[in-house]
Amino acid sequence: MARIVAANDTPPYHSTELNSISSVSDSTFGQLLKNVSDVRKMAIGDETPVHESLNQDYDNHMRTVPFVLTFDNLTYNVSVRRKLEFRNLIPRRKTEDLELALTGGPKTKTLLNNISGETRDGEIMAVLGASGSGKSTLIDALANRIAKGSLKGTVNLNGETLQSRMLKVISAYVMQDDLLFPMLTVEETLMFAADFRLPRSLPKSKKKLRVQALIDQLGIRNAAKTIIGDEGHRGISGGERRRVSIGIDIIHDPILLFLDEPTSGLDSTSAFMVVKVLKRIAQSGSIVIMSIHQPSHRVIGLLDRLIFLSRGHTVYSGSPASLPRFFSEFGSPIPENENRTEFALDLIRELEGSAGGTRGLIEFNKKWQEMKKQSNHQQSLTPPASPYPNLTLKEAIAASISRGKLVSGGESAVIPHGGGNTTTTLAVPAFANPFWIEIKTLSQRSMLNSRRQPELFGIKFASVVITGFILATVFWRLDNSPKGVQERLGFFAFAMSTMFYTCAEALPVFLQERYIFMRETAYNAYRRSSYVLSHAIVSFPSLIFLSIAFAATTFWAVGLDGGPMGFLFYCLIILASFWSGSSFVTFLSGIVPNVLIGYTITVAILAYFLLFSGFFINRNRIPDYWIWFHYLSLVKYPFEAVLQNEFSDATKCFVRGVQIFDNTPLGELPEGMKLKLLDTVSKSLGMTISSSTCLTTGSDILTHQGVTQLSKWHCLLITIASGFFFRVLFYFCLLLGSKNKRR
């Protein structure tokens, strides 16, 4: 990999390469990019950088394009709701402010208070402090994970404010929890990350080389073919899981890497290995910023800058080597052979519990920082902000892209003009891949993860078949008598509602993936719309198998009407019901916080849908103030569709002659008595009614059930459309509910 070399560096290059790079200092930025590109071609014989030399020795001798991250006076306040107590309902003094009257005044809590500092590429900056000190809040502030307008202060890279879109491309954020697909291997997990973050223009072979280099860099070669695992499947260790989580977010080699307590829950050795990996990442030209709880002595040796926080205030900012002198001058010298950070954290906790708090330490740190600045200024020790002070931020990023730092970030181009002048353009796409590539990759990942858990589909398939078998045996070969009609209605109502209740198992799918989705979309690994479409595509094939299985189990066994075309429509309406129910449950999974609440809401709403479907109470008898729920019921439309599919034959009779007395107390009379009653009725009506006269056809049953407004095909289309409607609602839930920012 070619890199920009400072004038005083002497890496072991070929003389031609050295002469090419040494001309950088006297060239314009356009010439700089051209020279770098030429060196890369000579070095690897290819214009596509892939980090094939990540761990080579000459990396340590080379000077990357410089980046300096500075943050000044970061302040973040949140409103704290007070409990409404009875004594607060009575105001103690007159006031026009209702909030003051009820609560005694609004209350805010300061999570960050004028936090300042800086770090640069090649360094690890660690944020330390007790729980609640503001460590994670500071990481979120630097990573632009706090809503615009809530955070005060500035965060600059190379002296320029970072735009949100640019920050998403050049940075990565590693969450505290290891959010991974359990049934994928380490290599597959990283390969899918490469497919998401690296551009389509990069050949598959180059992506594989990048993944293999990253596996070596993370030190997980022995676990490359092992699945991630979870509570029910044995997989890799905790330390390896943490390194894989880091690897997913650095697959595109970001300039800025933020980590929220990457060593939390790990033993000392695993924690050291994780930070050692982060050190290698920093030395490759990245800025690494992380929060850490209580680092060991070995971990401290890998850190370059420390910031200690206490209740949102900075109590120390500097290098680990300066800690003994700092606390010695403060009046609390660190004993020999004692962990410096443990001593500092214990002292801070002790001061927080005292009457004066950490105010004295905060003020001493301010004076210490001023003294340090004056001392550096007098001795001219302040390092230059950049070996290339004339480079703008976009030019520095463009140069970084040219030498391969950001293989997914974008492309830089040099446009020549007359007189030897050049213009540098930086193209940073919002997403690395087009829409259809994202859908393909997401679908492949979901199907691979599901294929390795066949028991999940097996249980669902078995439940549908068993339900169909029970219904088939209970409603075996129904006749065309009035009782058969009533039993058919019961079968259809139960069968259609079963389709929706079976779909409730889809609820945990997104809830288990929610935080993986939030992590990946927070930095534009793929579009939210791609996820929604992929989710629908992956789930649909299984619905086809379930529909055919249920229809084949029940249609002929129950004795339903319609022949082959009736069976085909029966399959279609069952498939549409599964699709609608699956989409509805998926939509609910986007708004409920956990599985327990989700199941409670799902079961309740589906019960209401069944109640207002038209089976328990006819549409004409539903009160006007509830009729709207009848039309919202998802069970209504498939229920009416199967009724029309069954009773649409106008020539088929379901009540003849004395059958009119069935389902009434007169049904228990002897046959002869029924014939006499029928004769009396026919004389009273002035018409001839014999024992073979058809009194009720299928259309009469539909009219009696109130199924007169829509055809069966309209009901089918509405059921299908409702599935798409809930998928759209699911998309908006993801769009509005996964911003992943503090307010």
Side-chain angles (χ1 to χ4, degrees), residues 114-220:
N114 291 323
I115 308 296
S116 301
E118 77 165 31
T119 185
R120 58 189 63 218
D121 57 293
E123 295 182 345
I124 298 180
M125 184 176 77
V127 184
L128 297 93
S131 299
S133 61
K135 302 189 300 297
S136 296
T137 306
L138 178 57
I139 299 295
D140 286 347
L142 298 176
N144 192 34
R145 290 164 64 89
I146 295 179
K148 188 176 181 180
S150 300
L151 179 70
K152 298 178 181 178
T154 59
V155 181
N156 297 325
L157 185 63
N158 284 12
E160 298 184 27
T161 302
L162 269 174
Q163 299 298 325
S164 178
R165 177 175 173 178
M166 179 72 74
L167 181 63
K168 285 185 176 182
V169 174
I170 68 170
S171 67
Y173 186 99
V174 180
M175 296 182 178
Q176 185 173 344
D177 298 322
D178 299 321
L179 308 171
L180 305 167
F181 284 91
M183 301 310 295
L184 301 182
T185 66
V186 169
E187 188 174 20
E188 289 168 345
T189 300
L190 295 176
M191 195 65 219
F192 280 118
D195 289 336
F196 286 131
R197 300 306 298 267
L198 305 186
R200 179 191 172 197
S201 59
L202 202 65
K204 192 75 172 180
S205 59
K206 297 284 187 179
K207 293 180 180 179
K208 290 181 179 179
L209 285 174
R210 169 61 180 150
V211 169
Q212 296 304 319
L214 185 59
I215 288 174
D216 291 331
Q217 185 183 20
L218 296 171
I220 50 177

Side-chain angles (χ1 to χ4, degrees), residues 20-39:
S20 176
I21 298 178
S22 63
S23 64
V24 165
S25 58
D26 299 325
S27 63
T28 63
F29 180 70
Q31 294 168 328
L32 169 73
L33 294 180
K34 184 179 184 300
N35 289 337
V36 172
S37 179
D38 291 341
V39 171

Side-chain angles (χ1 to χ4, degrees), residues 528-530 532 726-736:
R528 291 171 176 84
S529 55
S530 299
V532 173
F726 285 115
R727 295 286 173 175
V728 173
L729 290 183
F730 178 54
Y731 167 73
F732 283 108
C733 286
L734 300 186
L735 191 65
L736 301 175

Side-chain angles (χ1 to χ4, degrees), residues 165 168 195-200 428-443 445 510 516-535 730-731 734-735 738:
R165 177 175 173 178
K168 285 185 176 182
D195 289 336
F196 286 131
R197 300 306 298 267
L198 305 186
R200 179 191 172 197
V428 181
F431 299 92
N433 292 289
F435 182 72
W436 66 274
I437 289 290
E438 294 174 351
I439 295 176
K440 177 185 175 183
T441 306
L442 283 165
S443 300
R445 184 176 68 176
F510 176 69
I516 298 178
F517 167 82
M518 293 175 67
R519 182 199 67 201
E520 292 176 334
T521 55
Y523 288 85
N524 289 3
Y526 48 79
R527 298 166 180 82
R528 291 171 176 84
S529 55
S530 299
Y531 180 86
V532 173
L533 286 174
S534 169
H535 192 280
F730 178 54
Y731 167 73
L734 300 186
L735 191 65
S738 61

Side-chain angles (χ1 to χ4, degrees), residues 323-337:
L323 268 176
R325 181 185 168 195
F326 176 83
F327 282 101
S328 178
E329 294 185 10
F330 177 68
S332 300
I334 301 176
E336 293 184 9
N337 301 323

